[in-house]
Amino acid sequence: PIEKIWRWIENPEAMPRWNPKVMRVVALSPPYRVGYTYGITYQMSGKTSEFAAKFVEYQPPSRLTIRLTSPAYPQEFFVEERYLLQEHGGRSQLSQEVVVHNSGVNMFWRFLTWLIMRFGKPTGQKYLEKLKELIEGER
């Protein structure tokens, strides 16, 4: 059911269970609504990065947008994680989009990244597949 999936998506403290790049999440304000904030630590390619996260769109049980910022990057740089949860023919569908704003990366590297993401072969289990396993394994 959509409500069961939503409970996982709206709870950032559950992220380390399904996203191997998330090392730690620390709630900073009462959950869950627009404006909810938390700290999140990622580890990517052996490098640890700290971000401040904020719910900028919160429409249970269908839409959640999280904005991530860091003092380690220019103020105009931010990342948005967008989740959309819908029901189609009795089945639930979750989509995730990660959008990087004002990265400073030139067009060549952006295009190359798009090509790799579009046509490259994924390695390991995808994050949302891991989330699906966890949700379906709940009793």
Side-chain angles (χ1 to χ4, degrees):
I2 266 183
E3 291 75 19
K4 189 174 184 181
I5 299 167
W6 182 256
R7 286 193 302 268
W8 281 83
I9 296 304
E10 75 174 351
N11 180 3
E13 292 174 282
M15 282 184 186
R17 292 188 59 199
W18 57 271
N19 185 336
K21 292 185 179 184
V22 176
M23 300 292 102
R24 184 173 47 129
V25 174
V26 178
L28 300 174
S29 69
Y32 299 113
R33 57 181 161 68
V34 169
Y36 170 65
T37 58
Y38 59 95
I40 187 165
T41 305
Y42 291 93
Q43 186 165 25
M44 295 176 272
S45 304
K47 182 182 175 196
T48 301
S49 299
E50 301 279 338
F51 286 88
K54 181 178 187 175
F55 284 12
V56 294
E57 179 182 29
Y58 181 72
Q59 297 177 15
S62 60
R63 292 181 180 274
L64 175 63
T65 300
I66 303 165
R67 181 168 294 170
L68 300 140
T69 59
S70 173
Y73 297 100
Q75 188 174 8
E76 64 275 0
F77 169 85
F78 61 94
V79 176
E80 284 188 347
E81 288 184 42
R82 300 173 184 164
Y83 295 93
L84 177 61
L85 186 53
Q86 299 173 305
E87 200 164 336
H88 295 287
R91 296 181 55 116
S92 299
Q93 178 183 3
L94 174 65
S95 60
Q96 176 194 39
E97 179 182 27
V98 178
V99 180
V100 179
H101 296 270
N102 303 312
S103 67
V105 176
N106 71 38
M107 289 300 286
F108 170 77
W109 291 112
R110 280 193 245 175
F111 180 67
L112 182 60
T113 301
W114 178 83
L115 284 173
I116 291 168
M117 297 301 288
R118 177 81 168 110
F119 300 108
K121 288 193 175 230
T123 59
Q125 187 177 33
K126 293 180 180 180
Y127 307 156
L128 295 184
E129 288 175 1
K130 175 66 176 175
L131 178 60
K132 181 179 184 229
E133 280 182 9
L134 288 168
I135 293 169
E136 289 177 346
E138 280 186 338
R139 300 272 170 212

